[in-house]
Structure formats: structure tokens, C-alpha cells
């Protein structure tokens, strides 16, 4: 898919009308991710219950349409997952970016799979992965 | 001078689908430069300054002729005041390590401007940290000028003032002669970042009275990896070497060494003679075109861009209203669109512009934005290209999901 099509069919909707761009009240984890090449930042907020299930997830910050859409799509998909399931999803997303993902795995990414082509554009891969890298950092380190 | 003839000299510009508006990042190269580098390697390549045979002597001559060319281009007093470096960044680091660390002390002050590129900030942060000197910033006003109050940050405590001649974001030219005069009255030296000025205007280091002047070749038609530092000879003579090693010595014993004369003291290791020859060819090319033409063409293209911007309500311009104050650099944002997306959409129409913080994060913070888009033009760009760029720009919001 060419870039303009990706914008029109996936990115614009999430960028202009994000479902998860707001602050959480008393989140369990908060972490800021920064893309040093552009100075964009994403602030990821998660609420986990005592079983380790992500019950609420949101983001804030400033960034391009690709990074905003990728963040919003990620939030859609991680709510309801356990820490381990969310980490597996991050691994699959990164595998897609690196071009090592299988077709079955790609299906588990659901809407995030639509970012495959933009994630392969060298200039934009960092925009697509910013939120995912930040999530990985939270779940692995916290 | 016919723009068609000029463009015919640049092989990469023959593909007219592409519009290259990222000249402030790096320029394109004419075949005269590419051929000069190739000819050096084809006809007289050997390690300069070492060999006693014909080819090495030829390589040395080619390299030293390039140094003379740079000295004349900047109106230096002597070619011994020109040190070849990789680029402006390395040249400024040379000054920071070999001058700053040895001449600044606790309580001394370094004054720089808020307009600086990171390459003229980080070396001074390093010097301040290591010596205990204090780093101060001069901020510009709404006219993009430094008020007397800001300039009065240069005091008796100031030992070094580092300022860019032309801003890589705003395109404005700073009053270096005036700043140098103030600095010299207080006994401070002036370091000028010439990365954006050298390609666009006649530079006279003696007229502006710079103590150090750094520039990169690759922004002015020369290959990547060659640049130069101009420094007043007395300063160079008193400074210790930046890097040490081969061909920068007079005598080496097991425990000590004495160093070669300037500028060779600062050029350790095998030098980049091939690209120095390319830089000399680039200077010849620029001199042939002439700065009158270069400035007139940049002004014409900038004026066209700025007047088109006036008719687009959702464009914000960062920089002066007057086209002649831009040095071909037009920095802007489109309302509701991140500059990365603007650049990507234009890229899909083969229009190359820069997006991001332009290695000037303190400046962008001062302006109050995270990132901007930047179109930067050079003398080989055309009015048709500006028109296509503006048309492309008008379509960006539509592609990003807005009604207009």
C-alpha cells in the first residue's frame, strides 16, 4: 500500500479521532518514550489489576500522525491482555517491522498489521514503533 | 546566467521528477567537482606530505593548492590559517578541545546564541562542564535581532563568544562584525559557525574579524567529509594539537614529541586530499556562478514561496517577512499536520524537504514548537519547482484527512 493510502485508510481516523488519547486517573505505570531524531514524545499510562491484566490504557504527548495512530491502535489491542500477552504482541509487532513475521502471527496483530508497509519505510519505522518500544520497556522493567 | 545550463552541470538534477529542497542539510554536486575528485585519484593519488616521489609530491601540491583556494575564498591573511577538517562540527570541536579546555577557567563565561545548531552548543556545554565556566545564551527579539540588553551578556567575564553567521532554521544573518567588536573589547575570542553562510554569501573573515570560522564543504557543492577551520595564526600557534599521530610532528622520541608547524599540527593522520581537491573545484564553481547570482536567485525563489504562503491560511512561517533575510531557508508548519507527515506526503510526490528539530532543539523550544518543516533552496532551484512545491503543499491537509 502506498503511503497516501495508508494515511487515508488507517492513520487519519486514529490520528484525528483517537479513542485513547487522555490521562488516566491514578495509573499503575506511566512512562515517556522519546524519538530523538524528531523530538516527538509519547506518554503511556497503564492500569493493571492484581492479576496482572491491563484494565485501562491511554497515551498522551505530541507526535506525527503515524506515531499517534500506532499508539491508539496499540491501546485498542492491549486492553484486557495480561502482561505476558501484551509482551507477546509487542514481539509480534517488532517481528513485523523486521520482516520476520509469519502469516498466522500477523493475523494476531489485527488492525496493527495495517501498519506493516509504513513500518517498512526506513524514515518512518521509528514513528510506528515508538509506542510499542515504550510499552515493552514498561512491562519488562517495572 | 542561464539556470538550464547550471542545472545541466548537476547529474542528479537531470531527473526532473524530483525537487530537492533540502540544501541546508547538504547541497548537490556538479560534475566539475565529481570529476576533480576522480581525476585526483586517477592521475596523482599517493599519500600527501610523506613521499619523496613524483606522485606524492603531486598529491601534496594538489592538497596545498586547495588550502590556498580556501584561504582566498575566505580572505584569510595566509593559507597557514586554514586547517582542513571533516566538517564544521569537527572544526568547532577542535576549537573547544584545543582552545576552550586550555583557556577557560572556573567563573569564566561562554556566550552563545539561542539560534545555534547543536554542533555549536554541545562543544561549549562540554567546555563549561570540564572547566567550570558558565554558559550563557543571547536571545533574539521579534525582529529576529539581538537587543543591546542581550548583547550586554558579553562582559569582562566572557572569554569566548560562539555565534552562527546564518541560522539553519530561521535563515537570518547575524551581525558578526558587531558581535566580534563587542567581544574583542572585553578580551574574548569569537567562534563563528559558517556552515550556512559560506554557501550563500561572500565571506570575509578579516572584515567580520572572526577569530575562528568553521564551515563544511558538503553544503557548498563539495564532497561530504571535507570542511575547514579558519583561525588567526597567533591562536593556532599557541594551541596544542587536537588529535595526535602521523605527519603532525617535528620530532618524536620514546617519551616526547615536538609538533609540526601550523596548520599541519592539527591534521594528524593521512589527510583527505581527494575531497580537498573537490572543495577547491566547488569554490571555483561558486566563484564562476558568483554570489550576486546566488543571492539574487535565492531571494527570487524565497519571495515566490513567501508570497504563496500568504494565500494559504493554515501555514505558519518561522522567520523574517523579507525574502532577502532567509538565505534560501523557509521554515514553516501546516496547522494540524505534524511536519513528519508533511514531509512524507511531499516525498510521495518526489519533493524533498526536511522535517524535525533541525539539530536546534533549544531554538525550537524558544520558538515554542516541537518540530517544523523546512524547505531550503539553492541557486540551481527554479521557480517552476517552487510552484510545484506550493501546489503539493496545498494538497497535504487533504491527504491527512482534513476537508481543506
Amino acid at each position: 500500500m502506498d503511503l497516501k493510502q495508508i494515511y487515508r485508510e488507517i492513520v487519519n481516523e486514529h490520528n484525528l479521532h483517537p479513542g485513547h488519547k487522555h490521562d488516566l486517573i491514578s495509573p499503575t505505570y506511566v512512562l515517556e518514550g522519546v524519538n530523538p531524531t524528531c523530538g516527538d514524545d509519547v506518554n503511556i499510562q497503564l492500569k493493571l489489576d492484581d492479576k496482572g491484566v491491563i484494565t485501562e490504557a491511554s497515551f498522551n504527548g505530541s507526535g506525527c500522525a503515524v506515531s499517534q495512530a500506532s499508539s491508539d491502535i496499540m491501546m485498542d489491542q492491549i486492553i484486557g491482555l495480561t502482561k505476558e500477552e501484551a509482551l507477546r504482541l509487542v514481539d509480534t509487532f517488532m517481528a513485523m517491522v523486521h520482516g520476520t513475521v509469519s502469516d498466522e502471527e500477523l493475523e494476531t496483530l489485527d488492525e496493527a498489521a495495517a501498519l506493516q508497509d509504513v513500518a517498512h519505510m526506513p524514515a518512518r519505522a521509528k514513528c510506528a514503533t515508538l509506542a510499542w518500544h515504550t510499552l515493552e520497556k514498561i512491562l519488562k522493567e517495572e | 546566467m542561464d539556470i538550464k545550463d547550471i542545472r545541466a552541470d548537476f547529474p542528479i538534477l537531470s531527473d526532473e521528477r524530483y525537487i530537492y529542497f533540502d540544501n541546508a542539510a547538504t547541497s548537490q554536486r556538479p560534475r566539475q567537482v565529481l570529476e576533480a575528485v576522480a581525476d585526483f585519484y586517477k592521475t596523482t593519488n599517493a599519500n600527501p606530505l610523506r613521499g619523496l616521489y613524483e606522485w606524492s609530491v603531486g598529491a601534496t601540491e594538489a592538497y596545498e593548492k586547495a588550502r590556498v583556494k580556501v584561504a582566498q575564498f575566505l580572505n584569510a591573511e595566509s593559507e597557514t590559517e586554514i586547517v582542513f577538517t571533516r566538517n564544521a562540527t569537527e572544526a568547532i570541536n577542535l576549537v573547544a578541545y584545543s582552545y576552550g579546555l586550555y583557556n577557560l577557567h572556573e567563573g569564566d563565561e561562554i556566550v552563545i546564541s539561542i539560534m545555534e545548531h547543536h554542533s555549536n552548543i554541545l562543544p561549549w556545554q562540554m567546555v563549561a562542564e570540564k572547566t567550570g565556566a558558565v554558559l550563557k545564551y543571547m536571545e533574539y527579539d521579534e525582529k529576529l535581532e539581538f537587543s543591546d540588553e542581550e548583547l550586554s551578556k558579553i562582559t569582562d567575564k566572557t572569554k569566548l563568544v560562539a555565534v552562527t553567521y546564518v541560522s539553519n532554521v530561521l535563515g537570518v544573518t547575524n551581525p558578526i562584525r558587531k558581535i566580534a567588536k563587542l567581544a574583542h573589547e572585553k578580551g574574548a575570542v569569537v567562534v563563528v559557525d559558517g556552515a550556512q553562510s559560506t554557501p550563500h554569501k561572500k565571506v570575509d573573515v578579516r572584515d567580520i574579524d572572526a577569530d575562528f570560522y568553521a564551515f563544511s564543504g558538503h553544503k557548498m557543492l563539495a564532497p561530504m567529509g571535507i570542511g575547514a577551520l579558519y583561525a588567526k595564526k597567533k591562536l593556532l600557534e599557541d594551541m596544542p594539537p587536537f588529535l595526535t599521530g602521523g605527519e603532525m610532528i617535528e620530532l618524536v622520541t620514546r617519551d616526547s614529541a615536538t609538533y609540526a608547524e601550523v596548520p599541519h599540527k592539527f591534521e594528524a593522520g593521512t589527510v583527505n586530499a581527494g575531497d580537498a581537491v573537490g572543495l577547491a573545484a566547488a569554490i571555483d564553481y561558486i566563484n564562476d556562478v558568483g554570489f550576486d547570482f546566488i543571492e539574487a536567485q535565492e531571494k527570487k525563489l524565497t519571495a515566490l514561496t513567501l508570497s504563496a504562503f500568504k494565500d494559504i491560511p493554515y501555514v505558519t512561517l518561522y522567520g523574517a517577512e523579507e525574502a532577502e533575510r532567509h538565505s534560501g531557508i523557509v521554515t514553516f508548519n501546516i496547522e494540524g499536520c505534524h511536519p513528519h507527515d508533511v514531509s512524507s506526503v511531499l516525498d510521495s510526490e518526489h519533493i524533498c524537504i526536511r522535517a524535525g528539530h533541525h539539530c536546534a532543539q533549544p531554538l525550537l523550544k524558544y520558538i515554542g514548537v516541537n518540530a517544523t518543516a523546512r524547505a531550503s533552496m539553492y541557486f540551481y532551484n527554479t521557480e517552476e519547482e517552487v510552484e510545484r512545491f506550493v501546489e503539493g503543499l496545498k494538497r497535504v491537509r487533504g491527504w491527512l484527512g482534513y476537508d481543506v
Side-chain angles (χ1 to χ4, degrees):
Chain A
M1 215 186 315
D2 87 353
L3 183 86
K4 285 174 173 171
Q5 239 178 315
I6 297 170
Y7 273 115
R8 205 164 43 192
E9 293 178 16
I10 303 124
V11 169
N12 288 345
E13 181 58 27
H14 282 281
N15 180 43
L16 298 176
H17 312 288
H20 304 283
K21 190 172 180 179
H22 54 83
D23 286 330
L24 294 186
I25 299 161
S26 55
T28 321
Y29 300 126
V30 178
L31 191 70
E32 181 130 324
V34 175
N35 181 349
T37 50
C38 60
D40 286 354
D41 63 278
V42 64
N43 180 291
I44 289 187
Q45 308 175 18
L46 303 177
K47 208 175 232 182
L48 273 69
D49 66 13
D50 45 15
K51 294 186 196 98
V53 175
I54 299 168
T55 54
E56 288 179 62
S58 76
F59 73 103
N60 241 322
S62 64
C64 62
V66 172
S67 78
Q68 298 287 295
S70 186
S71 304
D72 201 48
I73 291 170
M74 184 183 85
M75 297 306 166
D76 265 346
Q77 289 176 229
I78 61 170
I79 295 170
L81 299 187
T82 63
K83 241 180 177 178
E84 292 70 31
E85 289 168 333
L87 275 171
R88 219 171 302 139
L89 195 71
V90 172
D91 284 344
T92 311
F93 188 84
M94 294 306 166
M96 176 184 84
V97 173
H98 296 128
T100 57
V101 74
S102 70
D103 285 350
E104 298 102 72
E105 284 173 324
L106 196 60
E107 272 183 34
T108 67
L109 282 176
D110 201 15
E111 199 182 7
L115 294 170
Q116 185 169 24
D117 289 334
V118 72
H120 287 162
M121 293 175 185
R124 302 310 299 273
K126 280 184 186 160
C127 313
T129 54
L130 178 60
W132 299 80
H133 275 304
T134 310
L135 176 68
E136 186 180 31
K137 216 169 163 190
I138 296 179
L139 296 179
K140 279 196 174 154
E141 290 175 12
E142 301 283 338
Chain B
M1 194 154 292
D2 193 341
I3 197 81
K4 279 210 179 86
D5 295 337
I6 289 176
R7 288 179 70 86
D9 285 335
F10 291 78
I12 202 167
L13 299 180
S14 64
D15 188 342
E16 297 209 329
R17 289 175 305 162
Y18 289 85
I19 296 176
Y20 186 72
F21 276 2
D22 195 17
N23 292 287
T26 196
S27 71
Q28 299 299 343
R29 291 101 181 93
R31 60 181 166 75
Q32 288 87 338
V33 167
L34 303 173
E35 284 165 11
V37 176
D39 282 348
F40 171 85
Y41 287 113
K42 283 179 193 167
T43 62
T44 189
N45 177 58
N47 204 320
L49 308 161
R50 287 162 173 75
L52 301 172
Y53 50 88
E54 195 180 325
W55 283 354
S56 179
V57 170
T60 309
E61 268 172 17
Y63 183 61
E64 292 304 323
K65 262 168 72 182
R67 195 192 307 277
V68 172
K69 185 83 73 182
V70 171
Q72 289 166 347
F73 187 59
L74 300 179
N75 198 30
E77 208 171 308
S78 151
E79 66 274 14
T80 58
E81 296 178 316
I82 304 298
V83 178
F84 281 118
T85 61
R86 280 191 303 138
N87 45 39
T89 298
E90 189 178 77
I92 295 169
N93 273 275
L94 191 162
V95 181
Y97 279 91
S98 290
Y99 184 88
L101 290 183
Y102 292 89
N103 291 283
L104 279 101
H105 304 96
E106 194 164 352
D108 288 346
E109 293 180 357
I110 302 168
V111 175
I112 70 176
S113 92
I114 192 68
M115 267 183 218
E116 301 310 308
H117 186 282
H118 293 166
S119 61
N120 205 21
I121 299 176
L122 270 63
W124 308 121
Q125 289 179 343
M126 181 278 295
V127 170
E129 198 195 333
K130 291 210 192 275
T131 63
V134 179
L135 184 60
K136 293 199 160 175
Y137 285 84
M138 296 187 292
E139 295 174 355
Y140 60 86
D141 60 21
E142 67 281 355
K143 287 184 287 186
L144 308 177
E145 290 168 0
F146 297 102
S147 66
D148 288 344
E149 198 189 330
E150 289 298 314
L151 290 170
S152 72
K153 287 178 178 167
I154 301 171
T155 68
D156 291 334
K157 287 185 178 169
T158 311
K159 293 289 178 293
L160 188 144
V161 178
V163 189
T164 188
Y165 202 166
V166 170
S167 160
N168 72 312
V169 175
L170 303 168
V172 290
T173 299
N174 289 319
I176 300 297
R177 198 186 300 112
K178 182 178 171 185
I179 292 170
K181 189 166 178 285
L182 288 171
H184 291 150
E185 280 168 11
K186 303 290 183 192
V189 295
V190 175
V191 183
V192 180
D193 175 357
Q196 295 296 343
S197 48
T198 320
H200 301 283
K201 59 165 71 239
K202 179 71 198 143
V203 172
D204 183 331
V205 288
R206 278 189 278 177
D207 179 52
I208 57 175
D209 206 10
D211 296 292
F212 299 98
Y213 183 95
F215 75 94
S216 297
H218 72 91
K219 292 188 203 288
M220 47 172 286
L221 315 180
M224 291 177 176
I226 189 77
L229 171 71
Y230 157 84
K232 287 179 180 166
K233 196 169 179 189
K234 180 78 181 75
L235 290 165
L236 283 181
E237 282 174 340
D238 291 344
M239 285 157 56
F242 174 37
L243 303 169
T244 55
E247 209 55 50
M248 48 78 68
I249 50 93
E250 193 177 76
L251 185 75
V252 178
T253 66
R254 287 192 184 207
D255 302 313
S256 67
T258 51
Y259 300 118
E261 293 280 288
V262 296
H264 302 290
K265 176 168 83 174
F266 296 101
E267 295 178 354
T270 294
V271 298
N272 187 358
D275 290 333
V277 167
L279 176 58
I283 290 172
D284 282 338
Y285 193 92
I286 286 173
N287 284 336
D288 282 350
V289 173
F291 280 109
D292 287 344
F293 180 86
I294 292 173
E295 287 185 64
Q297 182 70 6
E298 288 171 1
K299 184 182 163 187
K300 186 166 76 181
L301 300 176
T302 307
L304 195 61
T305 311
L306 297 189
S307 97
F309 276 12
K310 284 212 174 86
D311 298 331
I312 315 175
Y314 47 78
V315 169
T316 305
L317 172 74
Y318 305 102
E321 299 284 328
E322 306 92 333
E324 63 272 22
R325 292 182 70 198
H326 278 266
S327 290
I329 293 170
V330 179
T331 294
F332 64 96
N333 264 329
I334 293 186
E335 197 186 320
C337 303
H338 191 284
H340 270 192
D341 300 311
V342 175
S343 175
S344 277
V345 170
L346 290 177
D347 173 52
S348 66
E349 299 181 10
H350 304 302
I351 299 169
C352 315
I353 66 156
R354 180 78 184 266
H357 53 59
H358 318 296
C359 299
Q361 284 183 338
L363 172 59
L364 263 69
K365 191 151 192 194
Y366 182 67
I367 295 173
V369 290
N370 237 357
T372 73
R374 180 185 71 185
S376 55
M377 297 161 280
Y378 208 8
F379 63 88
Y380 43 63
N381 290 122
T382 66
E383 289 160 278
E384 292 73 35
E385 288 181 316
V386 170
E387 282 159 16
R388 270 178 59 201
F389 159 67
V390 169
E391 286 314 306
L393 212 56
K394 286 178 181 165
R395 289 190 289 268
V396 165
R397 273 177 63 91
W399 284 114
L400 292 177
Y402 293 97
D403 293 335
V404 230

